[in-house]
């Protein structure tokens, strides 16, 4: 799929008018595709979630569908539980990642659940190019029996049939490179427990706010897709100066929705998410200038895109 499809034109217009559209220069031709800062209020046309709204047995996220770039329709009830997260007025904070509004929180007082929202432009076998997705996540406490995750699905919300990617804590039994304890953050592709290449340890979990960045590289040949994941990268530094915490290639990936989930013992334990962002360039995720690390008046992204070696081809 061409990421700059006609379906995205309205979204790009909305982003250009928003707070995070200034990160790219003409030479790099980077574009931010989606932003959900979980603004709170009573005007969904202004991308606002109403914290006071409760739909049926859900806390308040399911059934709401603020008008914003990158996603379409309402948040959906998903497989695996009937309680959704709720929009709250307090946002998460991470260095150099501006949080414009509130956040979404699942406190487990009402039980576990999963909810998700469809992407405006899903990824399929015709997708080509590079795409970035980032989000903030914070646990309220650490418990190996508590599952909390940002997930990607395709065609539904079933674990086995539809789940394509998890960035999670509490997912025990993963192989990874050395075995992954349940109280660690982990990344997992295709709901797979057995292959070390399809899951990896991202480190011991804690109650800090963490920034996760996922890079997707799509090709139309069979098994041409690739993924890279960073935990807590520096948003002010160029991508090529920061080594991913996980990489994998040689597969076919289809995604049409983002999801959040939390399951575990009922109680006060909880998790929050914030600042869901989509872009075609690293710098556009964070509204930071495209770096010129070798001071040659050519942005690093432009040099790399045009076959130049940063710091050498001046």
């Amino acid at each position: 799929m061409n990421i700059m499809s006609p379906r995205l034109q309205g979204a790009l217009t909305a982003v250009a008018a928003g707070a995070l559209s200034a990160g790219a220069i003409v030479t790099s031709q980077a574009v931010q595709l989606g932003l959900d800062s979980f603004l709170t209020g009573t005007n969904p046309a202004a991308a606002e979630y109403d914290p006071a709204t409760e739909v049926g047995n859900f806390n308040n996220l399911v059934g709401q569908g603020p008008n914003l770039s990158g996603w379409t329709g309402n948040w959906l009830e998903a497989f695996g539980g009937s309680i959704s997260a709720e929009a709250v007025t307090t946002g998460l904070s991470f260095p150099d990642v501006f949080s414009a509004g509130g956040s979404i929180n699942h406190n487990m007082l009402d039980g576990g659940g999963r909810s998700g929202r469809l992407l405006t432009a899903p990824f399929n076998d015709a997708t080509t190019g590079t795409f970035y997705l980032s989000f903030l996540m914070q646990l309220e406490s650490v418990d190996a029996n508590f599952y909390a995750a940002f997930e990607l699905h395709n065609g539904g919300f079933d674990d086995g049939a539809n789940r394509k990617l998890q960035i999670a804590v509490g997912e025990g039994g993963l192989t990874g490179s050395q075995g992954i304890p349940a109280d660690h953050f982990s990344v997992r592709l295709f709901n797979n427990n057995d292959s070390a290449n399809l899951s990896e340890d991202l480190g011991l979990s804690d109650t800090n706010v963490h920034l996760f960045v996922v890079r997707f590289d799509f090709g139309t040949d069979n098994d041409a897709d690739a993924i890279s994941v960073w935990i807590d990268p520096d948003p002010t530094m160029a991508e090529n100066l920061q080594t991913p915490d996980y990489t994998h290639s040689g597969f076919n990936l289809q995604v049409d929705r983002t999801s959040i989930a939390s399951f575990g013992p009922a109680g006060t334990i909880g998790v929050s998410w914030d600042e869901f962002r989509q872009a075609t360039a690293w710098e556009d995720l964070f509204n930071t200038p495209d770096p010129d690390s070798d001071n040659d008046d050519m942005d690093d992204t432009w040099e790399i895109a045009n076959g130049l070696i940063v710091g050498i081809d001046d």
Side-chain angles (χ1 to χ4, degrees), residues 20 92-100 134 136 209 211 213 232-237 242 275 277 282-289:
L20 294 169
L92 301 184
S93 177
F94 188 89
D96 298 301
V97 178
F98 175 69
S99 179
S134 68
L136 301 178
V209 177
L211 169 65
V213 177
D232 296 335
D234 185 342
T236 68
M237 290 179 59
Q242 307 188 75
E275 290 299 316
R277 304 181 183 186
W282 176 277
E283 294 77 21
D284 273 7
L285 288 172
F286 310 116
N287 194 29
T288 55

Side-chain angles (χ1 to χ4, degrees), residues 47-132:
E48 293 177 349
Y49 292 87
D50 186 351
T53 299
E54 185 164 325
V55 181
N57 294 322
F58 301 102
N59 284 352
N60 71 31
L61 192 61
V62 167
Q64 295 201 63
N67 181 28
L68 47 81
S69 59
W71 289 267
T72 185
N74 291 338
W75 279 82
L76 303 171
E77 174 187 1
F79 172 85
S82 60
I83 304 298
S84 81
E86 60 183 351
V88 297
T89 57
T90 303
L92 301 184
S93 177
F94 188 89
D96 298 301
V97 178
F98 175 69
S99 179
S103 60
I104 48 176
N105 173 266
H106 198 157
N107 62 23
M108 292 299 295
L109 291 175
D110 297 321
R114 176 179 285 114
S115 50
R117 196 173 186 192
L118 295 173
L119 296 170
T120 304
F123 302 120
N124 54 43
D125 291 338
T127 301
T128 60
T130 299
F131 170 86
Y132 295 83

Side-chain angles (χ1 to χ4, degrees), residues 95-299:
D96 298 301
V97 178
F98 175 69
S99 179
S103 60
I104 48 176
N105 173 266
H106 198 157
N107 62 23
M108 292 299 295
L109 291 175
D110 297 321
R114 176 179 285 114
S115 50
R117 196 173 186 192
L118 295 173
L119 296 170
T120 304
F123 302 120
N124 54 43
D125 291 338
T127 301
T128 60
T130 299
F131 170 86
Y132 295 83
L133 187 151
S134 68
F135 63 95
L136 301 178
M137 180 175 174
Q138 182 181 29
L139 300 173
E140 294 178 4
S141 61
V142 175
D143 185 336
N145 296 313
F146 176 61
Y147 175 83
F150 178 93
E151 304 172 333
L152 299 179
H153 288 78
N154 189 65
F157 292 105
D158 184 79
D159 288 353
N162 305 115
R163 190 162 61 186
K164 304 300 181 181
L165 174 71
Q166 299 159 260
I167 295 178
V169 65
E171 184 63 88
L174 302 186
T175 304
S177 59
Q178 299 174 339
I180 305 174
D183 61 350
H184 283 216
F185 288 112
S186 61
V187 57
R188 182 192 192 201
L189 279 168
F190 305 118
N191 215 55
N192 190 291
N193 285 343
D194 302 321
S195 171
N197 294 326
L198 296 179
S199 60
E200 191 55 81
D201 192 340
L202 296 179
L204 181 66
S205 63
D206 53 37
T207 58
N208 296 326
V209 177
H210 291 282
L211 169 65
F212 294 91
V213 177
V214 185
R215 170 177 170 155
F216 306 91
D217 292 288
F218 292 103
T220 55
D221 293 337
N222 187 44
D223 292 335
D225 298 340
I227 189 174
S228 301
V229 177
W230 291 259
I231 179 172
D232 296 335
D234 185 342
T236 68
M237 290 179 59
E239 175 190 355
N240 63 307
L241 301 178
Q242 307 188 75
T243 303
D245 295 283
Y246 171 74
T247 59
H248 187 60
S249 60
F251 54 87
N252 299 312
L253 180 65
Q254 306 86 24
V255 173
D256 71 355
R257 65 198 69 193
T258 57
S259 317
I260 56 170
S262 55
F263 299 96
T268 58
I269 190 170
V271 58
S272 295
W273 300 267
D274 196 5
E275 290 299 316
F276 290 7
R277 304 181 183 186
Q278 306 173 35
T280 56
W282 176 277
E283 294 77 21
D284 273 7
L285 288 172
F286 310 116
N287 194 29
T288 55
D290 198 352
D292 178 17
S293 60
D294 55 359
N295 298 311
D296 63 355
D297 295 323
M298 294 184 290
D299 294 332

